[in-house]
Amino acid sequence: MQSSPRNPAVEPLFQPLRVGDVAVPNRIVMAPLTRNRAGGGNAPTELMARYYSQRAGAGLIVAEATQIRPDGQGYLYTPGIHSDEQVAGWRRVTDAVHEAGGRMALQLWHVGRISHTSLLNGEAPIAPSAIRAEAKTYTANGFEPVSEPRALEASEIPGLVADYARAAERARDAGFDLVEIHAANGYLIEQFLKDGANQRTDDYGGSIENRARLLFEVTDAIIEAVGAGRVGIRISPVTPANGISESDPTPLYEHVVDGLAARGLAYVHIIEGATGGDREFQPFDYAALRRRFPGCWMANNGYTPAMAGEAVASGYADLVAFGRSFISNPDLVQRIALDAPMQKADSSTFYGGDERGYTDYPFMEQAATA
Ligand code: 8OZ
């Protein structure tokens, strides 16, 4: 059935592909989605294993953003990948997804300045420069403005890079097929990249080469740990998410993508426009950027199945990531193949809570008999 979908416009999404070292049966990716349902010690739970295994029909699942170390956390109840308990929790998740026939990447995250002292034992968040973001985070007191960060010392950077590599090793030990470096949405790596957040005067600030230095040091350390064929990265050249800004994104991202191409990364995952919002937020030539990268190109942001089919047919994208529609349609791949109706996602249950709005969205057969 999946090899001959009812709607010819989505046929290109059902061609298998190699993504670095990993073979995927279709081009439909579950986007990383923060759901704030980790358990004690920020470890993944059985409920999370159920949620992800329900969605194993995806060509690839990119698990939610996961902090690489304690000061990488910016919101309550997000999972980590720095303790043995967290590795054991993720192992139950990847086992469940693999048993259900799926493949899974872990998104490696450090929030940088998008955090609050109450989540960091009273310490200030770290950032390239001591510039507070115009952004809110979610703490025990609800939504609160983020705290003023402190500028990371250059001497602290080797330890940070090593912690990214250690997290990648732990992800491999937890059974993930790939890791995805989170270099998007106004978090730490993007704070270094973009001039609205980086005013450093050392080797990590100023020129494009310097602002991209942390990204490449992290990428190289992770490649060393798990191999380039198991590493992807997420970027968002023009997003305003979490108060980030860049005065000249085109040359910055040409430099970034050229460096990623030279390193043979498995994939680049790109958010077009404003994250979760306007695709046309700011003009940017995504097709020109894509032509600089020979590996797999994963497109994201507001794609319909027909748009995704066209993006793959045209050669622009190899994979397309879907977010909201995967929340409310665990069998999204089958629904796309059958041109079946889509269920709408309830945004009131996106962040935090229990199984409601998480693992209780019906599959098609259930929906038909409900
Ligand atoms: C929504 C809420 C909290 C975090 C991202 C990790 O934007 C996130 C995130 C999304 O990349």
Side-chain angles (χ1 to χ4, degrees):
M1 171 208 58
Q2 290 197 357
S3 55
S4 57
R6 271 191 202 158
N7 176 357
V10 301
E11 212 280 327
L13 301 176
F14 293 87
Q15 300 304 315
L17 177 72
R18 268 199 93 76
V19 182
D21 292 350
V22 179
V24 306
N26 66 64
R27 312 304 185 89
I28 300 166
V29 174
M30 179 177 170
L33 296 161
T34 289
R35 304 301 307 273
N36 309 76
R37 282 167 170 85
N42 295 321
T45 62
E46 282 303 326
L47 184 66
M48 288 169 64
R50 180 165 167 73
Y51 161 76
Y52 282 115
S53 64
Q54 286 175 336
R55 288 156 180 78
L60 178 69
I61 293 172
V62 183
E64 65 207 86
T66 296
Q67 55 264 9
I68 60 156
R69 65 184 201 184
D71 72 358
Q73 182 172 7
Y75 310 80
L76 278 180
Y77 311 127
T78 56
I81 186 74
H82 49 83
S83 75
D84 292 345
E85 189 188 8
Q86 292 161 355
V87 171
W90 279 122
R91 171 55 82 173
R92 287 193 289 274
V93 175
T94 62
D95 281 349
V97 167
H98 289 145
E99 270 161 36
R103 294 135 302 274
M104 199 169 189
L106 184 64
Q107 199 192 42
L108 301 178
W109 192 29
H110 194 301
V111 297
R113 66 180 183 167
I114 306 302
S115 190
H116 193 272
T117 54
S118 68
L119 296 165
L120 304 173
N121 297 317
E123 304 275 319
I126 61 166
S129 304
I131 308 168
R132 199 175 65 79
E134 280 302 321
K136 288 194 169 165
T137 183
Y138 190 74
T139 72
N141 294 321
F143 285 100
E144 282 195 88
V146 297
S147 301
E148 165 117 13
R150 71 171 178 88
L152 201 59
E153 302 284 343
S155 62
E156 296 174 282
I157 291 182
L160 173 67
V161 170
D163 288 337
Y164 269 100
R166 181 80 190 104
E169 283 167 6
R170 284 184 177 276
R172 180 200 54 206
D173 295 347
F176 285 96
D177 302 284
L178 294 150
V179 294
E180 178 175 290
I181 300 167
H182 195 338
N185 294 347
Y187 298 113
L188 184 63
I189 294 177
E190 201 180 74
Q191 291 160 28
F192 272 82
L193 282 178
K194 293 188 171 175
D195 58 12
N198 184 344
Q199 294 182 357
R200 297 178 75 94
T201 54
D202 64 4
D203 287 352
Y204 293 88
S207 66
I208 283 173
E209 288 74 16
N210 281 357
R211 284 184 276 131
R213 191 176 307 284
L214 176 66
L215 181 151
F216 288 128
E217 287 183 356
V218 165
T219 303
D220 286 338
I222 291 177
I223 288 173
E224 173 83 19
V226 301
R230 299 203 173 266
V231 184
I233 190 166
R234 195 175 208 212
I235 57 175
S236 50
V238 305
T239 196
N242 290 307
I244 202 72
S245 64
E246 164 56 37
S247 57
D248 196 6
T250 296
L252 173 63
Y253 280 88
E254 287 176 354
H255 175 69
V256 165
V257 169
D258 287 353
L260 298 171
R263 286 164 172 83
L265 243 63
Y267 70 85
V268 169
H269 181 178
I270 189 157
I271 300 167
E272 296 162 5
T275 311
D278 184 6
R279 291 180 45 78
E280 317 294 333
F281 172 72
Q282 187 179 310
F284 188 88
D285 191 345
Y286 296 100
L289 198 61
R290 192 278 173 272
R291 285 194 289 274
R292 305 175 90 95
F293 188 76
C296 293
W297 196 256
M298 184 189 296
N300 171 246
N301 206 16
Y303 276 80
T304 63
M307 282 164 67
E310 167 58 24
V312 172
S314 73
Y316 166 64
D318 300 294
L319 299 149
V320 179
F322 294 84
R324 260 167 249 195
S325 50
F326 250 119
I327 289 179
S328 51
N329 300 280
D331 50 359
L332 181 66
V333 170
Q334 246 190 321
R335 287 181 195 249
I336 291 175
L338 295 174
D339 211 7
M342 298 287 174
Q343 298 166 147
K344 277 212 177 354
D346 172 7
S347 62
S348 73
T349 49
F350 281 178
Y351 308 115
D354 52 21
E355 73 283 357
R356 283 168 288 179
Y358 191 56
T359 51
D360 63 357
Y361 284 105
F363 287 70
M364 270 185 296
E365 311 79 66
Q366 293 169 324
T369 56

